[in-house]
């Protein structure tokens, strides 16, 4: 082969590799887009179908011991009821009601967010197809930048209802999750049927705020891709909700000195940005409580531990430039 | 839970000195501040007494109402007013006076009258000082968001997070884990 032929061969190989990379990238983007759309459809599906299910919930407590519980799930005409023994959680008409040993009560409903990150804004998503409970399913796999799996969402193909979820730590172990062990879809009753539970608590809405009072922090973004979606007043503090498109993170800020003795038992010691903190592992997610600069932070997140811990320090890092401007303009007028 | 429940004393003989009938425990019960033994006592009382359950509902409603109050900064001029009140308050321990100093003209007054006036001035000073102290305490308690003890209700924060996730994202992921959390408390 002549020298000219070798050069042309090398150029052709490079061009072929580039073309392959472009095609593969486009395919990956398309797959990620398809997965993101499926996640959005899944979020609306629970209210669009009537069904009953038995769900196995698993998590690890702060000591690392594996815990498990079984709950019953029922969806009727857009209302969703979860029951475990005498405990009932009911989602109805945009409000959540809880029945425990003290009776019915309801947490204030947060305002609807004006912006929400796309599920694939931060996460690389891929789709896998399989079966669960004898039904065809698709699994949305979210991966970290290093390729390790962070979450698997198993979605029923026929209804788009989420039938399984695994939150995975960096080592590949499942931190928490749930899976349907039975799933019966019933024809929609067109308003003829309703959830059996009748909450006696009065639904209430949280009061949104545009600027938080002096002394509180509400950064517009924290960590790698967490976006502040809502903020509201909460009695003696402020409540912030963050999203990264797949996971959620809530922060309650209260001014004062943390009474460590009043915290629930259990949990484990940790630190946040050098400050002493306490962590609790719950079926829903981790809770971290700490105090910094006269403000007590109670943070809850359903993300894997390595994902949310990087965001915690950012909460106390002061407001973003945009928030500073908003605070400057709106601060004199108080909350609203 | 039942293994933690101590034997119940007779319910028909409650009294203020009976720790098992101390309904002030209800507030601590709602805030998760009781010891396991105290919580077991309250659980047992709630199970057997409709009155306790009703009172618990009232305590919860009152607590929620108080917690729903807004934070407010001190009104403009509040602290200036407090400082002015302090500055204008007479010294409650006046310097030693003599009969001559109290009567510059050298007029002699009855000693009993002088003592009565001095006691009166001291009472006024004491009332003024008390008023200022009350104003400061009032401000600290109700007006100034000061550095008080914070006791986060972790279970309530988690529940609110689940509800928010359900409303803003996926309802199944937000709600399903709440039921076992509350039943395992």
């Amino acid at each position: 082969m002549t020298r000219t032929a070798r050069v042309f061969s090398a150029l052709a190989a490079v061009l072929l590799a580039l073309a392959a990379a472009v095609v593969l990238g486009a395919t990956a983007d398309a797959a990620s887009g398809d997965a993101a759309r499926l996640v959005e459809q899944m979020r609306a599906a629970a209210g669009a179908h009537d069904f009953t299910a038995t769900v196995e919930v698993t998590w690890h407590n702060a000591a690392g011991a594996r815990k498990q519980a079984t709950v019953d799930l029922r969806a009727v005409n857009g209302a969703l009821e979860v029951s475990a023994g005498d405990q009932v959680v009911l989602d109805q008409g945009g409000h959540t009601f809880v029945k425990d040993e003290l009776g019915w009560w309801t947490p204030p409903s947060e305002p609807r967010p004006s912006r929400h990150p796309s599920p694939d804004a931060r996460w690389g998503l891929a789709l896998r197809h399989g079966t669960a409970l004898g039904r065809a399913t698709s699994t949305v796999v979210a991966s970290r930048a290093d390729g390790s799996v962070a979450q698997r969402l198993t979605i029923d193909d026929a209804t788009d209802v989420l039938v399984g979820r695994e939150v995975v730590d960096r080592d590949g172990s499942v931190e928490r999750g749930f899976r349907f062990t039975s799933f019966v879809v019933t024809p929609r009753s067109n308003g003829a049927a309703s959830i059996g539970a009748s909450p006696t608590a009065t639904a209430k809405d949280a009061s949104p705020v545009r600027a938080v009072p002096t002394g509180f922090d509400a950064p517009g973004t924290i960590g790698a891709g967490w976006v502040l979606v809502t903020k509201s007043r909460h009695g003696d503090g402020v409540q912030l909700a963050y999203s990264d498109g797949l996971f959620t993170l809530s922060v309650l800020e209260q001014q004062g000195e943390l009474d460590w003795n009043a915290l629930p038992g259990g949990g484990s010691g940790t630190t946040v940005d050098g400050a002493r903190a306490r962590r609790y592992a719950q079926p829903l997610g981790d809770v971290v409580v700490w105090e910094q600069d006269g403000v007590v932070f109670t943070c809850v997140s359903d993300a894997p531990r390595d994902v949310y811990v990087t965001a915690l320090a950012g909460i106390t890092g002061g407001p973003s430039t945009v928030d500073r401007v908003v605070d400057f303009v709106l601060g004199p007028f108080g909350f609203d | 839970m039942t293994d933690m429940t101590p034997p119940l004393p007779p319910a028909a003989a409650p009294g203020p000195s009976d720790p098992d009938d101390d309904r002030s425990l209800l507030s601590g019960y709602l805030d998760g501040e009781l010891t396991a033994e105290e919580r077991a006592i309250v659980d047992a009382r709630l199970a057997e007494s409709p009155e306790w359950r009703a009172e618990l509902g009232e305590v919860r409603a009152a607590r929620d109402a108080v917690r729903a109050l807004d934070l407010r900064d001190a009104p403009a001029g509040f602290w200036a007013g407090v400082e002015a009140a302090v500055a204008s308050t007479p010294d409650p321990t006046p310097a030693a006076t003599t009969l001559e100093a109290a009567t510059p003209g050298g007029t002699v007054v009855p000693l009993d009258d002088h003592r009565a006036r001095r006691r009166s001035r001291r009472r006024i000073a004491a009332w003024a000082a008390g008023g200022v102290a009350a104003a400061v305490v009032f401000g600290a308690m109700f007006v100034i968001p000061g550095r008080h003890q914070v006791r986060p209700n972790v279970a309530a924060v988690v529940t609110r997070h689940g509800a928010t996730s359900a409303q803003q994202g996926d309802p199944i992921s937000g709600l399903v884990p709440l039921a076992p959390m509350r039943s395992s408390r």
Side-chain angles (χ1 to χ4, degrees), chain A residues 162-245:
Chain A
L162 180 68
V163 298
R165 183 188 191 202
E166 290 180 329
V167 177
V168 185
D169 70 15
R170 188 174 283 279
D171 297 329
S173 301
V174 176
E175 285 187 9
R176 59 176 55 83
F178 61 81
R179 68 182 183 94
F180 283 23
T181 55
S182 74
F183 182 40
V184 178
V185 181
T186 54
R188 172 136 286 188
S189 50
N190 292 324
S194 63
I195 290 286
S198 300
T200 53
T202 303
K204 49 191 175 185
D205 294 318
S207 302
V209 297
R210 282 185 288 182
V212 297
T214 303
F216 293 102
D217 290 317
T221 58
I222 54 174
W226 293 96
V227 177
L228 178 64
V229 290
T230 60
K231 50 190 173 185
S232 61
R233 77 179 82 178
H234 174 90
D236 58 348
V238 295
Q239 177 89 18
L240 312 175
Y242 289 87
S243 170
D244 73 349

Side-chain angles (χ1 to χ4, degrees), chain B residues 60-141:
Chain B
R60 168 186 270 179
R63 184 192 65 162
D64 290 348
V66 170
R67 289 183 174 179
L69 292 174
D70 299 341
L71 285 179
R72 288 283 182 254
D73 288 331
F78 174 82
W79 284 113
V82 171
E83 288 171 0
V86 172
S88 65
T89 301
D91 188 345
T93 55
T97 54
T98 62
L99 191 59
E100 290 76 14
T103 57
T107 306
V108 176
V109 296
L111 188 56
D112 287 347
D113 289 354
H114 174 71
R115 285 174 173 165
R117 281 199 299 272
R118 192 164 62 182
R119 279 197 297 271
S120 176
R121 282 198 299 271
R122 284 179 175 169
R123 272 199 298 272
I124 292 171
W127 277 105
V132 170
V136 170
V137 170
F138 177 84
M141 289 179 63

